[in-house]
Amino acid sequence: MARTRSETVETDDGVRLWAERSGEGPPLVLCHGGPGLWDMFEDVAGSLTDRAAVHRWDQRGCGRSGPCAGPWTSERFVADLEAVRRHFGLERMTLLGHSWGAQLALSHALAHPERVNALVYVSGTGIGPDSDWFDGFKANLVARLGERPERLARWHELTDRPVRSEAEERERAVLQWSAEFVDRERDLEHAGRMAERWFDINTECNKAFNAERRRTWGTPELYAACQRLDLPVVVIDGALDIRPRSAVDSLERALPRVRRVILPEAGHLPWVEDPRGFREAVTAALR
């Protein structure tokens, strides 16, 4: 049985990060989504422990990591990821990032390509401006929630409240996350599993990174940097993600060594709805 070990990583500015290692094999480091959420990759780690030494971590100020006042910048989070790499003694690693974590993993690969064997970019939104995807995402979110009008009404009710209790915050998140799944019979079940281990959402972190993305993504400089990224990249998309998949075309065009895997029956969390296809794509990247 694969050994699982939780550890504390200390960054160069004294912030304590929760991290966990499991499995044996080539090192794979996971970057969770958000921003402002926490690692929900337990199923992913469990499915890959016979193929890789899987390293999970909660980003600063989030989940099981220690509280802090930031800073909420990509440069700081890339440095935190470097702290995780050094803590576990990894000379090089395969990086897997999901959603916002895909953006973080790409930022790290651009800053430290000599530390990355391969990049697995899952359910990201590309390197273009927000106009490539954000309005489509919001419209698709409302449309999918609207398939169950009572859910949409309750989501609007909770969203419009200026202050929410912890229970209400969790209920709102589960309702919104249910729209991420294609299976409309089990969507609430899947979303509820995401919230079984509940922590406060770091809204300050979320707002800061969303503002940073609007300033810095979609620039010629970012496109040129991706054109120079000389390492293998696997892009994994769920075809039915409510974020328009066309947004990722900008990244695919820029990268010199890229392979794209589209899982036709999956949404934003493809390892839930197509675990076999997802595992095969990640395993190929590890090779």
Side-chain angles (χ1 to χ4, degrees):
M1 181 176 293
R3 182 176 60 174
T4 299
R5 184 175 73 237
S6 296
E7 301 192 21
T8 299
V9 176
E10 187 163 339
T11 67
D12 57 7
D13 62 345
V15 173
R16 296 165 68 85
L17 306 175
W18 173 87
E20 184 175 279
R21 180 192 185 281
S22 60
E24 299 294 337
L28 173 66
V29 178
L30 310 181
C31 298
H32 66 74
L37 299 178
W38 50 90
D39 177 278
M40 302 178 191
F41 279 133
E42 187 173 358
D43 288 348
V44 172
S47 72
L48 293 168
T49 49
D50 63 335
R51 291 287 185 267
V54 184
H55 302 76
R56 304 159 55 200
W57 61 295
D58 281 347
Q59 294 156 21
R60 69 168 46 208
C62 301
R64 290 148 288 197
S65 289
C68 69
W72 317 116
T73 66
S74 291
E75 182 179 12
R76 179 62 259 177
F77 276 44
V78 165
D80 290 350
L81 180 47
E82 272 291 279
V84 172
R85 181 191 64 78
R86 288 193 299 268
H87 175 87
F88 287 106
L90 309 179
E91 184 65 24
R92 295 172 67 91
M93 58 190 170
T94 296
L95 272 181
L96 185 155
H98 171 250
S99 196
W100 139 253
Q103 178 181 324
L104 173 58
L106 175 62
S107 296
H108 181 280
L110 292 171
H112 302 285
E114 75 284 356
R115 298 300 185 190
V116 181
N117 289 318
L119 172 64
V120 184
Y121 182 96
V122 184
S123 304
T125 53
I127 57 174
D130 275 16
S131 58
D132 283 358
W133 66 275
F134 190 74
D135 287 346
F137 161 65
K138 295 296 289 185
N140 291 337
L141 169 65
V142 170
R144 195 168 282 182
L145 286 175
E147 294 171 9
R148 305 285 176 83
E150 69 283 357
R151 289 190 197 175
L152 179 61
R154 179 59 172 165
W155 178 79
H156 275 306
E157 178 188 349
L158 292 169
T159 299
D160 292 342
R161 288 185 184 177
V163 179
R164 290 183 289 270
S165 68
E166 180 177 309
E168 290 169 338
E169 195 69 65
R170 183 186 183 281
E171 180 186 1
R172 178 186 177 276
V174 169
L175 286 171
Q176 181 160 323
W177 293 343
S178 73
E180 305 288 9
F181 299 97
V182 179
D183 184 347
R184 309 310 289 153
E185 298 303 316
R186 301 184 63 196
D187 52 356
L188 273 181
E189 175 190 339
H190 293 320
R193 284 198 64 211
M194 295 171 65
E196 281 179 357
R197 189 187 298 272
W198 181 260
F199 303 94
D200 289 337
I201 297 173
N202 190 326
T203 55
E204 181 183 358
C205 169
N206 183 278
K207 291 176 182 177
F209 273 112
N210 286 339
E212 183 192 78
R213 185 191 65 245
R214 288 190 290 269
R215 291 193 309 271
T216 60
W217 238 234
T219 63
E221 293 79 11
L222 177 59
Y223 193 90
C226 290
Q227 287 181 310
R228 296 190 297 269
L229 187 62
D230 186 23
L231 57 86
V233 180
V234 177
V235 174
I236 304 177
D237 287 325
L240 301 178
D241 194 328
I242 58 177
R243 293 150 193 79
R245 294 297 82 207
S246 58
V248 186
D249 296 350
S250 57
L251 177 63
E252 185 180 12
R253 285 193 299 268
L255 293 170
R257 300 171 61 189
V258 62
R259 184 169 67 91
R260 193 163 181 179
V261 178
I262 298 176
L263 303 176
E265 301 300 324
H268 192 56
L269 285 78
W271 62 88
V272 175
E273 295 182 302
D274 189 351
R276 175 181 292 183
F278 183 81
R279 174 183 155 90
E280 289 175 354
V282 176
T283 299
L286 289 167
R287 290 197 296 265

